[in-house]
Amino acid sequence: MRNVIWLLLLAIVAVVAASLLGSNDNLVTLYWAPWRVDLSFNLFMVILVGLCLVLNALIQAVGLLIGLPQRAREWRVSRRDRIAQGALREALSQYFGGRYGRAHKAAQRAVAIQADTPELRQDTEFTVLGHLLAAGSLHRLQDRTRRDEQLAQALDLARRSTAARPAEEGARLLAAEWALDDRDAARTLELLSQLPPGVSRRTQALRLKLKAARLAQEPLEALKTARLLAKHQGFSPAAAQGLMRTLAVEALDTARDTDQTQRVWREFDAADRRDVVVAAHGARQLVALGATEDARAWLRPFWDRVAALPREERDTLAFALADAVDGIGPEWLPRLEAALQTCPGEGALAYGVGRAMMARQLWGKARALLEQAARDEALTPTVRREAWLHLATMAEQDRDEERAAQCFRAAAALG
């Protein structure tokens, strides 16, 4: 197809040339005293076109000759740029390969090449990345002094250029991560607090803040951060629930009296207060501090909907109530009876309600429920042993020494 087009163009040129140059009747006379030159028009046109072509070639040759130093300089700059880029890529490959000494040297070489080339100094982002790679390698080599020097240089350069803003954000996140690796939680939290609002809400920043808060033993702050991470889908739902439950329990453990425990409870999110495990742990802590009435108040909302809870949470709720039965009022009896009717045959529930009945001196119901719990092999030996001991106590109160001895032997058999 291309050959056909060229043939057509050649035919067109031939037709045009034949039309214009077919007759050679015209003359072109050039006067240059005392000479006179007569040329045919066709020859004059050929010479004119040839002179134009020669002049154009001469101009291009002069331009190339004049621009030769500039092109040589551009070639040298391009060559140094390729060398610097190669050194930076080598630093990256060595860093990911675990050869941190070589990575540091390659990054330093890349930065040095750029610093020695005035035309490349404007690429601030390249320099910042080189310093960050060098700092990361030094961090792996445990050279904190030179690491901080490289990091300071990277941050100083990044502040001067808007194009290097992403590199600056990365440098600050890396600094926080390195401070966390140094077990310096205060420094990590300080660096994270200096981040712009948009950066501080990123998943990586929240993960670092969570670790730093846990390291600093600030479970409430860690709990808030974990909740933000869960909203950003930083964890799977199951992992998020387990982590937040653990952090809530740790926050309750930091309280030293009833007022502190209540204050921590009020600072919890509503979702944390609806967690049976968290509420049960807090109730046990209140019982240990002598506030059994407050402990039962925390457990009451769950007993009102006990049938809707999973089996594991019902067991946890029953064991927590068993620890908080001292001084339990009669208003609890309808609630506990309803729980037994909706969830019959559960040993943990029988144990918790049996302890409550025993506290209310309803000996017959307490004895039947505790015997059910003591014989339930699904319960742990500790719970079953406690049930036998309470049965022995009731037998002693009834002066039934034989029954009490049997209960004691059954408890001893459970270890």
Side-chain angles (χ1 to χ4, degrees):
M1 187 64 184
R2 181 180 300 177
N3 295 332
V4 174
I5 294 174
W6 277 111
L7 287 174
L8 289 174
L9 290 176
L10 183 60
I12 292 171
V13 171
V15 171
V16 172
S19 301
L20 295 177
L21 304 176
S23 60
N24 199 16
D25 300 334
N26 300 321
L27 290 176
V28 176
T29 302
L30 301 176
Y31 293 93
W32 188 276
W35 296 285
R36 168 186 166 179
V37 179
D38 293 327
L39 299 172
S40 66
F41 180 75
N42 290 353
L43 180 59
F44 173 77
M45 291 301 297
V46 170
I47 293 173
L48 182 62
V49 171
L51 287 175
C52 290
L53 292 175
V54 171
L55 182 61
N56 180 60
L58 184 62
I59 292 173
Q60 289 183 356
V62 172
L64 290 173
L65 185 62
I66 294 174
L68 188 60
Q70 176 65 24
R71 290 199 307 277
R73 185 164 52 253
E74 290 176 354
W75 178 84
R76 288 194 298 270
V77 172
S78 175
R79 181 172 177 273
R80 293 182 68 84
D81 183 42
R82 289 195 300 270
I83 295 173
Q85 295 286 349
L88 189 66
R89 288 194 296 271
E90 180 186 356
L92 275 171
S93 61
Q94 298 290 359
Y95 181 84
F96 291 131
R99 293 180 168 180
Y100 302 115
R102 295 186 182 183
H104 172 253
K105 291 179 181 178
Q108 289 290 84
R109 187 166 64 254
V111 172
I113 292 172
Q114 191 188 37
D116 292 339
T117 309
E119 292 83 358
L120 299 179
R121 292 176 188 170
Q122 304 302 321
D123 192 357
T124 309
E125 189 175 9
F126 179 91
T127 311
V128 172
L129 289 176
H131 284 301
L132 286 180
L133 268 174
S137 302
L138 291 170
H139 173 72
R140 299 295 184 180
L141 295 172
Q142 299 295 314
D143 191 344
R144 295 183 176 86
T145 303
R146 289 198 296 165
R147 177 201 68 186
D148 294 340
E149 292 176 357
Q150 293 288 333
L151 181 63
Q153 293 180 30
L155 289 173
D156 184 59
L157 287 170
R159 293 190 195 100
R160 302 177 188 175
S161 173
T162 56
R165 184 62 55 81
E168 180 185 3
E169 296 170 356
R172 294 190 180 278
L173 286 173
L174 278 176
E177 183 177 354
W178 294 339
L180 188 62
D181 291 342
D182 295 340
R183 311 295 293 176
D184 191 347
R187 175 64 175 164
T188 304
L189 293 173
E190 179 186 355
L191 289 169
L192 291 174
S193 65
Q194 297 172 359
L195 292 174
V199 182
S200 62
R201 289 192 295 270
R202 294 176 185 170
T203 301
Q204 175 64 7
L206 291 175
R207 288 183 186 276
L208 293 174
K209 187 176 181 180
L210 173 61
K211 293 178 181 178
R214 298 195 73 178
L215 182 61
Q217 297 182 353
E218 297 179 5
L220 274 177
E221 187 64 29
L223 181 60
K224 296 176 183 177
T225 306
R227 192 162 297 282
L228 283 176
L229 267 173
K231 291 180 180 178
H232 285 76
Q233 298 182 346
F235 305 110
S236 64
Q241 181 183 11
L243 176 61
M244 288 186 286
R245 179 177 289 172
T246 301
L247 292 173
V249 168
E250 291 178 359
L252 287 170
D253 288 339
T254 60
R256 294 294 177 265
D257 54 36
T258 304
D259 292 338
Q260 288 184 0
T261 306
Q262 295 281 8
R263 191 181 307 115
V264 170
W265 180 259
R266 287 192 296 269
E267 291 184 11
F268 282 167
D269 191 82
D272 299 319
R273 291 195 291 269
R274 290 194 298 268
D275 193 320
V276 175
V277 176
V278 175
H281 185 82
R284 288 194 181 93
Q285 188 162 345
L286 287 175
V287 170
L289 295 171
T292 54
E293 185 63 32
D294 293 334
R296 288 193 295 272
W298 286 11
L299 299 176
R300 187 179 299 116
F302 301 101
W303 280 99
D304 292 336
R305 54 183 180 88
V306 66
L309 299 176
R311 175 66 181 271
E312 295 79 5
E313 294 186 1
R314 285 200 298 269
D315 293 352
T316 302
L317 188 63
F319 295 143
L321 179 66
D323 294 335
V325 294
D326 290 344
I328 191 170
E331 70 278 2
W332 273 84
L333 297 180
R335 186 178 293 112
L336 299 178
E337 293 285 355
L340 288 175
Q341 292 176 4
T342 55
C343 304
E346 294 186 7
L349 203 61
Y351 176 75
V353 177
R355 290 286 307 277
M357 296 298 180
M358 182 178 175
R360 290 297 305 166
Q361 298 183 357
L362 300 174
W363 309 116
K365 292 183 178 181
R367 185 177 294 107
L369 291 172
L370 289 175
E371 286 180 353
Q372 176 185 343
R375 291 184 171 85
D376 190 347
E377 296 183 357
L379 296 178
T380 63
T382 301
V383 175
R384 294 175 63 196
R385 183 171 59 251
E386 291 293 327
W388 282 118
L389 291 176
H390 288 300
L391 288 170
T393 301
M394 287 189 290
E396 288 179 339
Q397 290 177 351
D398 293 341
R399 300 180 184 277
D400 189 347
E401 299 297 335
E402 183 179 355
R403 174 62 179 166
Q406 291 176 355
C407 293
F408 278 127
R409 284 194 296 269
L414 292 171

